[in-house]
Every structure is written in C-alpha cells, then in structure tokens.
Amino acid sequence: MVQLKNELAKIKGIDKRFLTRLEKLKITSVRDLLWHFPSRYDDFSQIASICDLEADQTATIQGQIKHVSSRRTWRRKMIIVEAVVADDTGSIKAIWFNQPYLTKVLAPGRIVNFAGKISASQNDIYFSNPVYEFSGGGEREEGHTTGLVPIYPETKGLTSRGLRYLIKIILKNLNPVDEFIPLKALEENDLPEINEALATVHFPESLEEASRCKKRFAFEDLFLLQLNNLKVRSQLAKEKAAPINFSKIDLGEAITSIPFELTGPQQKSLTEILNDLSKGQPMNRLLQGDVGSGKTVVVAIAALLAAKQGYQVVFMAPTEVLAKQHYKTMTKIFAPLISNWELNVGILTGNEARCFFGEDLETEKKKAELVKEIANGAVKIIIGTHAVIQKDIKFKNLALAIIDEQHRFGVKQRAKFAADKKELFPHFLSMSATPIPRTLSLTIFGDLDLSIINELPKGRQEIATKIVAPANRKKAYDFIREQVKEGRQAFVICPRIEASEKEDGTAHQMMWKDVKAVKDEFEKLATKIFPDLVVGMLHGKMKSAEKSEIMNDLAKNKINILVSTSVIEIGVDIPNATIMMIEGAERFGLAQLYQFRGRVGRDKYKSYCFLFTSSSSTNAKQRLKSLVEAKNGFELAEKDLEIRGPGEFLGHSQTGLPDLAMNALNNMELTKAARDTAEKIIKKDPELEEDELLKEKLEHFQNQIHLE
Ligand code: ADP
Ligand code: MG
C-alpha cells in the first residue's frame, strides 16, 4: 500500500525518465501526483466506423494496425510517427509527434482502439495524436479509449496515457486518505468525501461527477486559505506591539506642514492607520490606492508621528528607484517638520547610504556607519530596498514597518522584521497601487485590514487615452515633438529589451516578430524620428548606476523622451511628463497599463496616453477599450477580473494558489461557504489543537502558497 506522503522515486517500477519528467512539473510525491488533476475529459463511449469519420470531430475507432513508420522533419528536428489502421469500412492514418517509441509498440497486425481528434490535411483526414489501447491481448488497459478519458496538462514526454496508467495503479494501492473537511461542511455543500473524490476526479463516469469532485478540491483550498487568513489574524491579535500614542498637536502640526489639503479618503485612511498604531496589538493593514492618489504622503505622516515618539520606522520599497522617490517625497515635503522635530531620515540601498536631518542638511555615509546608527537607534526613519532586511541590519526599537507594493515581497521577508521583535512586534502597513476588487481582497488578503484611497487629489486632470491606429503613428510623433517644444517630456514603453538576434522562423520568433524592442526603438527615435531631441533609454539589464543617471537626467528635464521597458511601471514620479506612449499594448496586463498611464498627469499639465497594438484579437481590443473608459483603478480592476478571470488577474505565480482554487474565487457562494466553515472552526479552536490532521494539512498548504 502507498501513502500520500510517499515519494514516487521510492516506489518500485516507475520508469526513471518518467520520474524526471514528473519532477519538472514539481510532482515528486504520491500526493503531488494525485492532485495533478485532468484538465479535461474526452468522451469516447461510442465506437465509430472509419468510413463515417469527419474532420474536426472527436472519435473512437477500433481496427487492425496495417503499417507503422517514422520520419524526421528536417527543419524542426521533430520525429513524426505514422500508423495506418483499418476496420471493415475503411482505413485512416494516425500521426504523433515526438513519440518515436510508438513504432515499437504499435505492431502491425494488432487490434487497437484509437481515440482522439480527427484533423484534415490538404486531401485527407487523419487522427492527430490519438490515445490508443490494445483490444484483447496482454497489454489491455482499460479506461483509455472508452468512456470518459482524463486528459492531463502535458509536458514534453509526459503523456496523458502515461499519467493515467500510473495514477490508476497508485489509486488501486492507496491507503485510505483521512478526510479533514468537517463532514457537516461537505454535506451542506453537497461535496464528495476525499477518497471518493480522488478516485472519481481521475476516472469519472460522467462530467457532472467530475465537476462535483473538482468543486470539492476547490473548496478544500478556499477553506484552507480562509483558515490561514483567520489564523494569521488571531495569532497577530495575540502579539504585543508598541502602542504609539501621539498628541493631537503633533498630528495637527504634521498635517499643516504639507502644502495641500488631504483628500477625504486620505484623511480616513490616516485615521484608520493612526487608530491601529495606538493599540497594543500589531497593525496588519493594506493601504490600497491608485497611483498618485497620495498614499506616500499618508504613510509618511504616520512614520513621522511614530518617530516623534522615539520609535524607529522602516519603509521598504521593491526597487531602488522607488526607494529614492519615497526618500525624496519625505525630505522635500516634510523638511521643515523633520528639522522642527529634530528627526532624521536615512536611505539605504545596495548602492547608497545617506541621512537627512532637515532643510539642507544631508550627509553621505559609509554603509557600515548607517547600519551602526540603525542599530543604536540614532536613525529614526529608514527608507530602502531589500538592503534594509539583510542579516547585518538590526533595529533598536522598530515599531512600524511600511512595505510598498507589498505583493512583491514574500512572507519570508516580512517574517524577517518579526524575527527582530524581541518583546514587541512591529506594526505592519502595506501599500499597493494595484487595485483589487473587494470580493477578491477579502479572500486573498483576508488576514489584512483594508484602507482604500479611491479618489485622486483635486485638480488632477483626466488623462486622454487613445488607441492609435498604425496609420496615425506619425501624427503621434508630431504631437510628442510639439509637447517637447513646450517643455514637456514623454515616455515610450516597449514590451521587451531587444529583438532576437536571428530570424530563424521558430514559433517563438514568430510570436515576437512584430513586438517592439527598447534598443531598436531607441535607435530609431534617436537617429531618425527625433535626431534633434534628447532621447534616453532605460531597461532592467542596465547597471544600477546607469539607471540612476538616466533617472536623474529625466528629473532635471535633460532627457526629452525616455524609451523604456516595464521597469518604469511602478512609482516613477516625473510631474513634467505628459505623454505615455505604449507599444505592443496588448502584451501588458490592464493593471500594468494602468500603472504606466499613472506615470503622466502628475502635475497641472494636460496629459496623454497613446496605446499602440498590432493585435486584432477582440479580447485584446476589449481590454484596451476598458482602459480608455475606466474612471479609476478599482473600476478597471473589476473589469479586468471579469475579462480575464481571477487566475490571470492575480497571476498564478503571484499567489501560488492552485488553479482550481483560483478559478473558484469567482464563485462567491463557495468562497463564502469556505469562510463560514473556517470561521466556525477557528472560533472554537484557534490553534487547531483538537484537530491534528487539519493543523498538519494547513501547514502543508501554507508551505505551498506564498500569499503576501
Ligand atoms: P502614491 O504614493 O499614492 O502614488 P503620492 O503620495 O506619491 O501618491 O502622491 C502623488 C503626488 O501627489 C505627490 O507629488 C504628492 O505630493 C501629491 N499629493 C498627495 N496628496 C495630495 C493632495 N491631497 N493634494 C494635492 N497633491 C497631493
Ligand atoms: Mg507613490
């Protein structure tokens, strides 16, 4: 008998090469294998006559193998196996790619079932990549070509056939698995028990059965996700944090020191944050708001107030550019306050260390020196990149950790702050400019409290957004020239850094054929279109020093037009820029396009966003159109979610959630049921001490996902 936790490699009789291929899919244990669900099921319950077959249908036939051969395509170096099979009514060819061993298996004379799709070539029809099963004789293996046949997401050399074979044997020898979902919850939601679900999801008798099982597994993940969220919440509620109490006078002074009035949502968010900070439990809050909605100003006030009380604050950004930006915002807007309150602000990145003490008082530091001052508490507010959580960084009395674009930081990184906690846990404040629809954030960020800034500061102009037809490219360039003449600046975004070296006609090549590359576009704009203007280039492969130089020049308006990859996406603040031109716009997600657009319109000047696309797909056009129409980021997010579904919207890699659960996020009913179930359990047994199995299961799940 095998157990879920058994390693496949330890099970006798599984082919080594097969194991290696499974490993590529991160399938190493029995559990991994059984949780690798079919992506669809083909229905082969009827056996057709060969003479009745038509192109584009899916069919099963039974016949005798007449002939087998293989050949190699000279360009693609692929091996094609061809077999001819005949029944009483006729014969048909079958073709497979890259499965040379089939010439040995499909011996002429044998009776075989073929099942799969019928394709058409110029003058004939053929089976393409059919599954096969010998009929009669020693190798008979049921369940491949009659009834519902599970089809798995395949990778090179790992066929659905091989998977079916292995899964079937494993299921036969599997020790019964313990059910960890409360029976009552299963009953209430009409979900099958685990052992039944495992067997049936791989070999169902009907599609309804299959989908009921998949629903069960989706529920399982949603349930664990909610359980995780609630547990994090209840654990954090037990930790102690420094209650940061500040006077109304200080707050008033901070607010009057800024040269503008806070918007309603800014005030509300600030109140929520300050309220959390005053408590003895750690805050765990997410501040969401459009680019330019004024999040930085809000968190800066919280940071300054905490520092005034003598605490240390760390403010971490995902990139150097962003860290500098925050440093600039702080030191510019709040310079008088920093002097008055005798505070200081340090910046620490891979490349620089400096400290600001108030108006015109800034010193360059050796990194080691700054690190020492962080450790002895001399530096109060530390802004930086990952550099601020390296091993050598110790804080004296860290009370507030602010994390910008938090989804770019992992749980592990967050844990590093907590590891320093000694007695007290720091308050956590995350910021994100990626608006997430409320329904989703309740599930995905269910452990966080939310503050939302859904209004831009007064006087911001709407950014004119246009999808530009290729024929109007010159007009767009003329417009850029006009704007530059008036003193403004422009961004040109391209989807990739450079064109591939050689045109070799591969699929990859074809896919990227018309996609603009930063280097080419830079070359073209600098020499042909705008030889009289200063064109700059920015991309991720450049050295950090080069990038800073470009950003500095850009800030000083020494660069008129910047050609860039998506590195410009987050946070860059050049108020003088008025044009955002995006090449290959269909290649970016809506949220990303939205971020790009947020780079302009940050000052009083009317700003523009030009979208270029070579795609004619309706989906792409629909998406671009919603960018043109959307009023704010949240509205856009709802749309994006609608068009792309939660999986693509959030990005699988970003959450680590299994696909099934991802898709189930759209199912509010199931999500709510999962949350209710989780709530009941946590209420009764917060540490899951009464349920060892569930506790273990949750730990396994937590290791799998990386929700931030
Ligand atoms: P975010 O961090 O949300 O992208 P920032 O805090 O960087 O936004 O603010 C963007 C710009 O708007 C900054 O130049 C900031 O000084 C300015 N700003 C912020 N809040 C207001 C406001 N209430 N009124 C006017 N300008 C504001
Ligand atoms: Mg910002």
Side-chain angles (χ1 to χ4, degrees):
M1 292 302 254
V2 290
Q3 317 246 9
L4 285 186
K5 61 171 190 261
N6 289 158
E7 290 299 306
L8 291 173
K10 298 243 169 74
I11 297 174
K12 274 202 204 103
I14 305 178
D15 185 73
K16 271 243 161 60
R17 274 172 310 175
F18 202 72
L19 281 176
T20 324
R21 287 166 193 155
L22 284 171
E23 241 167 69
K24 286 213 179 99
L25 290 182
K26 300 207 163 58
I27 298 175
T28 57
S29 69
V30 170
R31 178 199 300 279
D32 300 336
L33 180 71
L34 293 183
W35 260 259
H36 185 62
F37 300 138
S39 48
R40 64 185 169 87
Y41 306 85
D42 282 345
D43 187 356
F44 294 121
S45 51
Q46 306 291 327
I47 290 196
S49 296
I50 292 179
C51 70
D52 290 336
L53 298 177
E54 282 173 25
D56 294 330
Q57 99 184 85
T58 304
T60 302
I61 56 108
Q62 186 169 73
Q64 187 176 43
I65 298 172
K66 294 292 177 194
H67 174 81
V68 181
S69 64
S70 71
R71 62 189 164 85
R72 194 178 273 274
T73 58
W74 64 274
R75 278 192 77 169
R76 297 276 211 79
K77 299 203 178 105
M78 269 208 290
I79 293 175
I80 294 182
V81 172
E82 290 186 1
V84 176
V85 62
D87 68 6
D88 294 341
T89 69
S91 68
I92 186 167
K93 199 153 73 176
I95 293 181
W96 295 266
F97 293 100
N98 282 335
Q99 300 183 43
Y101 61 92
L102 286 178
T103 52
K104 299 206 180 65
V105 182
L106 299 171
R110 298 198 65 172
I111 304 294
V112 72
N113 284 4
F114 278 172
K117 187 148 186 262
I118 311 292
S119 299
S121 64
Q122 258 159 358
N123 41 27
D124 213 352
I125 57 170
Y126 62 94
F127 264 109
S128 73
N129 268 316
V131 293
Y132 62 92
E133 177 193 15
F134 293 111
S135 193
E139 261 195 74
R140 183 165 172 84
E141 180 226 334
E142 288 190 30
H144 279 198
T145 55
T146 47
L148 282 185
V149 178
I151 307 294
Y152 296 89
E154 296 187 15
T155 65
K156 229 176 170 181
L158 194 65
T159 61
S160 281
R161 182 185 176 80
L163 282 167
R164 280 192 294 267
Y165 184 75
L166 183 58
I167 289 173
K168 187 152 234 183
I169 291 182
I170 298 266
L171 276 173
K172 234 183 224 162
N173 295 288
L174 184 68
N175 242 345
V177 178
D178 294 328
E179 177 60 82
F180 74 93
I181 301 179
L183 285 177
K184 203 157 159 257
L186 290 179
E187 265 166 35
E188 278 168 8
N189 295 288
D190 183 31
L191 300 171
E193 175 275 342
I194 180 89
N195 290 286
E196 181 195 338
L198 272 179
T200 311
V201 75
H202 291 288
F203 300 102
E205 302 220 315
S206 69
L207 290 175
E208 291 75 49
E209 250 186 38
S211 85
R212 188 165 158 258
C213 292
K214 286 197 169 176
K215 189 170 148 196
R216 183 233 130 84
F217 289 109
F219 179 90
E220 169 176 320
D221 288 327
L222 292 176
F223 170 59
L224 290 170
L225 183 64
Q226 300 294 359
L227 214 49
N228 179 49
N229 286 340
L230 294 170
K231 201 158 163 239
V232 169
R233 250 179 202 279
S234 77
Q235 272 170 347
L236 218 50
K238 270 189 289 183
E239 296 290 343
K240 290 203 166 49
I244 307 176
N245 294 303
F246 28 77
S247 69
K248 280 230 165 73
I249 297 172
D250 287 349
L251 176 59
E253 204 178 327
I255 286 178
T256 45
S257 78
I258 37 180
F260 42 73
E261 201 177 319
L262 293 179
T263 62
Q266 272 179 316
Q267 286 176 24
K268 181 158 180 274
S269 300
L270 181 61
T271 308
E272 287 164 349
I273 292 165
L274 296 182
N275 190 28
D276 279 1
L277 287 178
S278 70
K279 292 182 188 153
Q281 285 95 40
M283 162 167 71
N284 197 25
R285 184 169 286 278
L286 172 63
L287 176 61
Q288 279 194 322
D290 277 6
V291 173
S293 62
K295 297 182 295 297
T296 309
V297 177
V298 169
V299 304
I301 295 174
L304 289 161
L305 287 168
K308 174 96 196 293
Q309 296 304 309
Y311 293 109
Q312 281 181 305
V313 178
V314 68
F315 188 172
M316 183 161 70
T319 68
E320 197 165 346
V321 170
L322 264 178
K324 278 191 181 154
Q325 208 103 62
H326 291 318
Y327 179 73
K328 230 175 75 190
T329 303
M330 277 268 197
T331 54
K332 225 166 77 189
I333 297 184
F334 297 100
L337 196 67
I338 292 169
S339 309
N340 279 347
W341 287 0
E342 294 178 2
L343 297 177
N344 52 34
V345 181
I347 181 164
L348 181 67
T349 68
N351 292 294
E352 74 173 325
R354 55 172 77 216
C355 199
F356 179 89
F357 300 93
E359 282 156 298
D360 299 324
L361 242 178
E362 186 181 44
T363 54
E364 200 90 33
K365 300 225 167 214
K366 288 242 164 57
K367 197 181 159 197
E369 198 183 341
L370 190 63
V371 170
K372 214 169 103 194
E373 290 174 357
I374 293 172
N376 68 24
V379 183
K380 295 294 177 215
I381 299 177
I382 302 98
I383 299 176
T385 53
H386 284 81
V388 299
I389 47 167
Q390 297 311 307
K391 275 202 300 298
D392 56 336
I393 310 289
K394 296 269 181 302
F395 295 90
K396 179 151 181 272
N397 60 348
L398 181 67
L400 170 59
I402 302 167
I403 305 177
D404 192 12
E405 289 303 324
Q406 53 103 37
H407 56 285
R408 282 157 211 263
F409 281 112
V411 164
K412 286 206 183 96
Q413 283 139 335
R414 237 167 73 167
K416 286 198 184 139
F417 289 122
D420 246 20
K421 63 181 173 166
K422 294 180 191 128
E423 299 288 293
L424 295 175
F425 225 76
H427 293 282
F428 280 112
L429 177 58
S430 308
M431 302 156 66
S432 177
T434 315
I436 294 185
R438 204 168 174 89
T439 49
L440 270 192
S441 46
L442 284 179
T443 358
I444 295 293
F445 301 124
D447 57 329
L448 299 171
D449 294 310
L450 290 182
S451 289
I452 293 176
I453 305 183
N454 55 3
E455 181 187 313
L456 292 182
K458 273 199 283 296
R460 276 309 151 69
Q461 302 200 27
E462 201 175 307
I463 297 159
T465 307
K466 289 198 176 69
I467 302 171
V468 184
N472 289 331
R473 177 172 285 277
K474 188 172 170 301
K475 268 196 199 155
Y477 287 146
D478 289 346
F479 191 77
I480 290 180
R481 181 179 294 283
E482 265 172 45
Q483 289 279 305
V484 170
K485 261 198 203 133
E486 284 174 28
R488 305 286 83 76
Q489 290 162 284
F491 295 108
V492 176
I493 307 294
C494 301
R496 57 180 180 155
I497 298 178
E498 51 200 324
S500 317
E501 299 78 50
K502 51 182 197 298
E503 298 285 327
D504 57 5
T506 60
H508 178 260
Q509 259 284 333
M510 303 296 280
M511 229 170 77
W512 286 95
K513 200 169 131 252
D514 293 321
V515 178
K516 301 264 184 196
V518 163
K519 287 185 179 169
D520 297 347
E521 212 52 21
F522 167 71
E523 185 81 26
K524 183 181 102 183
L525 295 185
T527 61
K528 299 212 177 81
I529 315 278
F530 303 114
D532 50 326
L533 304 181
V534 186
V535 183
M537 170 165 76
L538 188 73
H539 59 73
K541 281 193 186 161
M542 284 164 63
K543 293 212 178 72
S544 169
E546 287 176 289
K547 281 194 268 186
S548 312
E549 200 184 318
I550 295 279
M551 290 313 295
N552 280 334
D553 287 352
L554 196 66
K556 291 183 192 139
N557 199 2
K558 285 193 197 159
I559 291 176
N560 304 125
I561 300 163
L562 183 71
V563 186
S564 170
T565 54
S566 58
V567 291
I568 205 85
E569 180 191 346
I570 33 174
V572 170
D573 190 19
I574 307 291
N576 188 46
T578 55
I579 295 182
M580 172 55 65
M581 173 162 164
I582 303 168
E583 302 280 2
E586 78 282 358
R587 298 200 168 251
F588 299 102
L590 268 188
Q592 214 179 357
L593 289 172
Y594 189 75
Q595 293 266 13
F596 290 146
R597 185 172 64 178
R599 300 301 106 223
V600 295
R602 293 170 82 84
D603 206 333
K604 53 185 180 289
Y605 314 110
K606 176 79 190 156
S607 295
Y608 307 84
C609 177
F610 298 146
L611 305 167
F612 282 82
T613 174
S614 50
S615 166
S616 51
S617 108
T618 26
N619 189 296
K621 285 206 175 125
Q622 197 191 346
R623 277 175 51 208
L624 294 184
K625 238 180 106 209
S626 52
L627 181 70
V628 174
E629 287 162 3
K631 298 259 178 320
N632 61 48
F634 286 92
E635 197 176 293
L636 191 71
E638 299 278 359
K639 271 234 173 84
D640 202 14
L641 179 65
E642 212 175 280
I643 297 171
R644 294 197 300 166
E648 251 193 279
F649 178 85
L650 287 165
H652 176 80
S653 57
Q654 219 168 72
T655 63
L657 259 194
D659 289 346
L660 269 184
M662 266 305 198
N663 293 327
L665 288 174
N666 252 357
N667 185 340
M668 272 318 283
E669 215 178 308
L670 198 65
T671 305
K672 189 161 177 311
R675 191 174 175 93
D676 289 347
T677 307
E679 252 165 13
K680 271 183 220 147
I681 291 173
I682 287 287
K683 212 175 200 173
K684 238 178 54 206
D685 181 14
E687 292 304 316
L688 302 180
E689 273 155 355
E690 290 163 29
D691 197 337
E692 199 55 39
L693 179 64
L694 186 56
K695 193 171 165 188
E696 198 179 294
K697 190 82 197 176
L698 183 61
E699 271 157 24
H700 178 82
F701 181 77
Q702 285 165 333
N703 287 334
Q704 259 181 354
I705 59 166
H706 38 95
L707 295 170
E708 287 110 76

